[in-house]
Amino acid sequence: MLEVSPDRIAAAARRVMARCDELARVTATPGRIERVYLSPEHARVNRLAAEWMRELGMRTRQDAAGNQIGRLDRIVGDTLDPDAPALIIGSHLDTVLDAGRFDGIVGVLMGLEIARLLRTPVGDGRFGVALPFALEVVAFSDEEGTRFGKALLGSSAVAGLWDEDWWALTDADGTSLRQAFLEFGLDPARIGEAARRPDELIGYLEAHIEQGPELDRRGEPLAVVSSIASARRFQLVVEGEARHAGGTPYDMRRDALLGASEAALAVERICRDEHHIIGTVGQLEAYPGAVNVVPGEARFSLDLRGEFDETRDHVWDELSRELDAIMGRRGLRWSSREVHSAAAVMCAPLLQDVVREGIGAADAPGGTDPAVIFSRAGHDAMSIGAITDVGMLFLRNPDGISHHPGESVSAPDVALGIRALAESVLALAADVRVR
Ligand code: HGY
Ligand code: MN
Ligand code: MN
């Protein structure tokens, strides 16, 4: 058990909340929170996080993909072991456009508070952890995929999943990922150096707001995550014919926007019928985009998620057939490009157990039998699951609103989360010792 006073945990939670506010001020657009991969804002939050890590006596580095890492070595006798395998606690500091201030951020900051609670002086002014492993906090650089349309770039590099084709991805201004790396001061040729080997790691824990209403509805602050949704994202193009808005009778129109709109409604209809699949059209643009021209082209995005890969793929097949039918009726052509695909990831049973134990030890409401939730949102844990066991702790997210400035979490829930996460680390340490 963690021998720490409630006051110290409450102070840790207050610090997390204040730092969420501080990071929210690092934005590309005043009045909104917008912080994308390889931007000046990314560099600024990495510098802040590195400062906070160093204050805790952590060794810090920014890796080859722009992830910010802090490490407390394992203490062996009265020295530090720089090579001991590590437990990583992580999440991300990048945001969607017009974001809330907690998605990802709260998990990184809670990781720092765990390091603060568990760090141990070595005797000569240095700090380590008196655990059977090292403790690392990782602030991932790109989870949302806001800038290049491809999610999980930071954690994919750490998991050794980098795909050379990604260098050609471009942002809205036409800047390629390769160019953005160079402008940020990173060397694309060194991306492989960000990859971690499974034998360097004990596991990965991530705390995150739920981004849904289940805990709020249950009146409970914390949950064990069982698995993370399988996801696929597409960019679709519908081609019709641009013509005069006044002069073209309906029977001659091939309106691409109407085809795309009908497709968006089909996404809702088909996904609603299919339990556990959620589909969202979040972007929709018409071209040439003039008030007096029938849209000749429309582009839209599709985000598909589900608990199981097979159901998700089955829904995509069904949607594709429906799009053929819609576009056929309207004399339109359609095509799609898959920009993201991630298989469902199971949280490791052992790490689900330690998170459950952590929640119980934190004495949270529902603690002895906490909610177990499948995450419909994507998380860095998805890619890290390729190299080590992952576990996640969810925090209540009032009204379930996220990817929105109204996103929230309460300081008392963060305090419970900090205690639960620290207890989870101790439970894992006890298990590793026994093994
Ligand atoms: O979109 C997601 O699920 C995550 O929040 N990036
Ligand atoms: Mn998000
Ligand atoms: Mn997130």
Side-chain angles (χ1 to χ4, degrees):
M1 281 287 271
L2 189 67
E3 301 295 337
V4 171
S5 73
D7 284 355
R8 202 167 153 210
I9 300 282
R14 280 197 301 278
R15 192 163 32 242
V16 167
M17 302 304 274
R19 285 177 169 180
C20 286
D21 292 344
E22 186 171 350
L23 292 174
R25 288 193 286 276
V26 183
T27 175
T29 316
R32 293 150 67 108
I33 303 173
E34 292 177 1
R35 208 163 49 237
V36 301
Y37 191 32
L38 304 173
S39 61
E41 296 72 41
H42 170 189
R44 280 177 61 201
V45 293
N46 273 15
R47 278 198 297 275
L48 270 173
E51 227 172 83
W52 294 336
M53 288 166 172
R54 280 193 292 270
E55 266 171 34
L56 298 174
M58 301 183 103
R59 286 200 282 134
T60 61
R61 66 189 174 95
Q62 180 178 270
D63 76 6
N67 300 301
Q68 179 61 47
I69 302 171
R71 174 176 168 110
L72 287 174
D73 288 321
R74 176 185 179 191
I75 299 172
V76 181
D78 52 6
T79 60
L80 296 172
D81 175 0
D83 300 319
L87 170 70
I88 295 179
I89 301 180
S91 198
H92 59 99
L93 294 182
D94 68 314
T95 72
V96 293
L97 299 181
D98 202 10
R101 59 188 60 199
F102 302 104
D103 172 0
I105 291 105
V106 82
V108 175
L109 298 177
M110 283 172 63
L112 293 180
E113 294 308 321
I114 304 311
R116 188 188 304 275
L117 289 168
L118 300 182
R119 76 193 178 134
T120 312
V122 188
D124 54 2
R126 291 179 303 162
F127 286 87
V129 279
L131 298 172
F133 41 74
L135 184 67
E136 293 190 19
V137 176
V138 179
F140 288 107
S141 53
D142 174 86
E143 191 280 336
E144 303 286 5
T146 308
R147 181 167 177 190
F148 293 99
K150 167 79 194 77
L152 299 167
L153 287 169
S155 48
S156 294
V158 171
L161 301 173
W162 196 267
D163 182 335
E164 289 299 312
D165 289 349
W166 295 345
W167 293 119
L169 292 171
T170 51
D171 68 8
D173 297 329
T175 304
S176 70
L177 180 56
R178 178 183 296 281
Q179 186 59 29
F181 257 63
L182 294 169
E183 286 169 8
F184 192 80
L186 292 171
D187 180 355
R190 300 180 69 167
I191 189 67
E193 294 174 17
R196 306 293 294 266
R197 293 190 320 270
D199 64 316
E200 294 174 47
L201 304 174
I202 289 289
Y204 173 84
L205 288 175
E206 179 167 357
H208 204 285
I209 58 166
E210 185 199 335
Q211 304 184 281
E214 200 167 325
L215 279 172
D216 198 29
R217 286 182 182 157
R218 289 172 70 124
E220 290 177 24
L222 302 173
V224 180
V225 177
S226 55
S227 66
I228 309 167
S230 120
R232 286 175 82 175
R233 290 183 186 161
F234 301 87
Q235 292 293 340
L236 296 98
V237 179
V238 179
E239 291 170 84
E241 187 179 43
R243 290 181 72 134
H244 197 286
T248 314
Y250 276 112
D251 62 359
M252 289 182 69
R253 288 181 184 228
R254 293 196 291 125
D255 184 327
L257 179 62
L258 292 182
S261 307
E262 207 179 327
L265 290 170
V267 168
E268 184 197 36
R269 190 178 63 250
I270 290 171
C271 291
R272 271 202 163 175
D273 288 349
E274 197 68 50
H275 197 52
H276 283 328
I277 296 290
I278 302 243
T280 302
V281 174
Q283 299 168 322
L284 173 59
E285 280 162 11
Y287 300 90
V291 70
N292 56 354
V293 182
V294 174
E297 184 174 309
R299 296 185 198 165
F300 63 103
S301 63
L302 172 63
D303 175 303
L304 270 187
R305 304 174 189 227
E307 189 165 7
F308 304 107
D309 302 350
E310 299 72 26
T311 346
R312 174 206 63 179
D313 293 344
H314 163 78
V315 164
W316 171 243
D317 292 344
E318 192 177 335
L319 264 170
S320 301
R321 286 192 295 276
E322 186 60 17
L323 291 190
D324 284 342
I326 292 168
M327 304 308 166
R329 275 198 305 278
R330 292 181 170 273
L332 303 167
R333 283 196 306 275
W334 75 281
S335 58
S336 66
R337 186 166 59 90
E338 185 158 2
V339 291
H340 174 67
S341 172
V345 171
M346 279 294 297
C347 291
L350 170 68
L351 293 182
Q352 290 190 48
D353 284 349
V354 302
V355 171
R356 186 177 291 103
E357 232 178 280
I359 296 174
D363 220 7
T368 48
D369 181 23
V372 180
I373 292 181
F374 134 70
S375 173
R376 289 182 168 78
H379 300 290
D380 298 293
M382 297 178 85
S383 13
I384 301 303
I387 46 167
T388 193
D389 285 351
V390 300
M392 286 193 73
L393 169 74
F394 265 178
L395 278 70
R396 170 166 47 196
N397 171 203
D399 191 38
I401 190 162
S402 182
H403 285 186
H404 183 276
E407 175 181 280
S408 70
V409 66
S410 74
D413 285 359
V414 170
L416 284 169
I418 290 170
R419 191 176 277 277
L421 193 57
E423 295 285 5
S424 303
V425 174
L426 296 182
L428 180 64
D431 184 273
V432 169
R433 265 194 203 100
V434 170
R435 278 187 286 163

